[in-house]
Amino acid sequence: MKITVQPFAGDPRNWNALVTAASGWSHFHLYEWKDVIEAVFGHECVYLECRTTDGELCGVLPLVRVRSRLFGHFLVSMPFLNYGGPLGSDAAVTALTSEAVAMATRDRVKLLELRSRGELAIDLRASHRKVTTLVDLPDADPKALWASLSTKMRNKVRRPQKAGVEVRFGAKEITPFFKVFAQHMRDLGTPTQPVRFFHTIRDCFPDSALFACAYLDGVPIAGGCGFRWADEFEITWSSALRDHARVRANYLLHWSFMERAAQEGCTTYNFGRSTPGGGTHEFKQQWGGRDEPLWWYYLARGSVAETPSPDRGPYQWGPRLWRHLPVGLATRIGPAIVQYIP
């Protein structure tokens, strides 16, 4: 059967219906992310659809164009997030990928990157430079989850509890979460997303986005933001203040998210992406989960095989400089930079 690819112009509900029925879908394939990206960053969202000759929707690809003079021109699915790529029938996935490659070639983009969660039958190279770590959750039973942790991990969770750390959930935690997040990112030497990004996420995903903060004596010292889809919860952003590292509030924060996810019927806790062997990856491995390599397919022009990273290449000077900026200044100017680093 012949199929055609064109820009999506239908009902977003039909897009989401195909997404949630497709194998390998993620929260970041949902149509509302187009609204987030356009409203906050102003990037062009090239959302593609694939249809059969009788008009049936059989595949979708959320694709975003990120272009700047400093970093270059990218087509990414999805920028700033962990997963993306084409969904649908095998023929649709192939056709959508071919259209993305044709677009990237025609527009001479620096890099086309399709951030798939799993392997796809497409003719592009795959990078495995990122992994995700998954923990199985006993269905709706936090007590069983607690019992599944090692004695060492339970002690690490108890430590902030004994210190008086309290974790609070809700949309009202966005502001304190962002305060922790912005300082943590400055300490890492990385520009922060704007607070508007997280408020827009809340508005677009009121039922599936979850925010939480850990407090010590009424002061936020750790925070996180994550998403639920299907039977899975992913903690996409989490931060903790170095000044309170001894308290280890991040252990209680993650435990609280795990407990909440289990209570809501999730069977998988996803720690989000990390670089294999890095400190963040080692923290996640302590919870007894399993690593899952990500399949980030790419087409590069020249020698560029990944989006800009402060850890490699000509941008390594950036973190050394950024760490010395006052937090307020870094928070104000960071969004103008990070919006072009997908």
Side-chain angles (χ1 to χ4, degrees):
M1 180 181 293
K2 184 179 179 181
I3 55 178
T4 58
V5 176
Q6 59 269 328
F8 181 79
D11 189 330
R13 291 174 295 184
N14 294 336
W15 175 289
N16 284 346
L18 185 142
V19 165
T20 55
S23 174
W25 77 281
S26 74
H27 193 279
F28 312 125
H29 285 92
L30 295 173
Y31 188 86
E32 288 80 1
W33 279 102
K34 181 176 185 289
D35 300 329
V36 175
I37 297 296
E38 290 178 340
V40 178
F41 304 108
H43 295 318
E44 178 189 1
C45 292
V46 189
Y47 272 39
L48 301 175
E49 67 173 23
C50 190
R51 292 187 182 269
T52 62
T53 50
D54 59 4
E56 180 183 357
L57 184 66
C58 60
V60 295
L61 171 60
L63 198 58
V64 179
R65 191 185 304 276
V66 180
R67 176 162 37 190
S68 70
R69 291 183 178 179
L70 177 60
F71 298 111
H73 184 183
F74 306 95
L75 283 172
V76 185
S77 176
M78 288 286 290
F80 320 116
L81 303 167
N82 299 335
Y83 317 120
L87 293 177
S89 67
D90 290 344
V93 167
T94 299
L96 288 162
T97 301
S98 296
E99 179 63 23
V101 168
M103 186 184 306
T105 303
R106 181 187 68 236
D107 297 345
R108 297 181 58 81
V109 304
K110 194 173 185 178
L111 179 72
L112 165 69
E113 187 170 63
L114 307 178
R115 297 177 175 177
S116 177
R117 174 80 173 268
E119 186 175 6
L120 300 176
I122 59 177
D123 190 22
L124 287 178
R125 293 182 178 181
S127 168
H128 301 297
R129 69 182 187 274
K130 298 293 182 181
V131 299
T132 188
T133 303
L134 308 175
V135 173
D136 294 325
L137 304 176
D139 189 21
D141 190 355
K143 290 183 179 179
L145 174 61
W146 179 256
S148 71
L149 298 180
S150 67
T151 300
K152 186 176 182 179
M153 284 305 300
R154 290 198 294 267
N155 288 336
K156 287 182 177 180
V157 173
R158 289 188 181 109
R159 182 170 181 170
Q161 288 177 323
K162 291 178 179 178
V165 175
E166 174 193 6
V167 176
R168 305 173 191 169
F169 286 91
K172 64 183 182 300
E173 301 303 324
I174 293 177
T175 298
F177 155 75
F178 183 75
K179 182 178 180 180
V180 173
F181 177 72
Q183 181 167 335
H184 176 75
M185 296 301 285
R186 192 288 310 265
D187 292 344
L188 292 176
T190 303
T192 181
Q193 299 286 3
V195 67
R196 185 184 176 205
F197 181 51
F198 299 104
H199 282 293
T200 306
I201 285 172
R202 174 205 59 196
D203 294 341
C204 290
F205 303 105
D207 299 323
S208 57
L210 190 61
F211 294 87
C213 271
Y215 291 82
L216 179 63
D217 297 327
V219 177
I221 62 173
C225 169
F227 304 92
R228 177 179 177 174
W229 69 90
D231 58 357
E232 183 169 340
F233 179 83
E234 182 195 89
I235 180 73
T236 310
W237 296 281
S238 64
S239 304
L241 298 182
R242 290 182 176 179
D243 291 346
H244 298 277
R246 185 178 58 83
V247 181
R248 296 184 175 180
N250 52 338
Y251 285 95
L252 180 58
L253 178 74
H254 278 281
W255 163 253
S256 299
F257 270 112
M258 285 184 186
E259 186 177 42
R260 179 73 170 260
Q263 289 171 340
E264 294 185 0
C266 293
T267 58
T268 302
Y269 185 82
N270 185 334
F271 274 97
R273 78 182 191 224
S274 54
T275 301
T280 301
H281 182 219
E282 292 176 355
F283 168 82
K284 297 172 182 179
Q285 287 181 313
Q286 297 178 75
W287 294 86
R290 63 188 186 278
D291 287 343
E292 192 176 84
L294 300 183
W295 294 75
W296 286 11
Y297 292 92
Y298 67 93
L299 175 68
R301 185 163 61 91
S303 59
V304 178
E306 59 185 71
T307 52
S309 170
D311 300 323
R312 291 177 294 277
Y315 308 110
Q316 294 184 64
W317 57 268
R320 293 194 293 270
L321 171 64
W322 204 261
R323 293 186 187 103
H324 294 288
L325 293 179
V327 174
L329 178 61
T331 302
R332 285 195 300 274
I333 66 177
I337 299 172
V338 77
Q339 67 176 320
Y340 299 116
I341 307 177

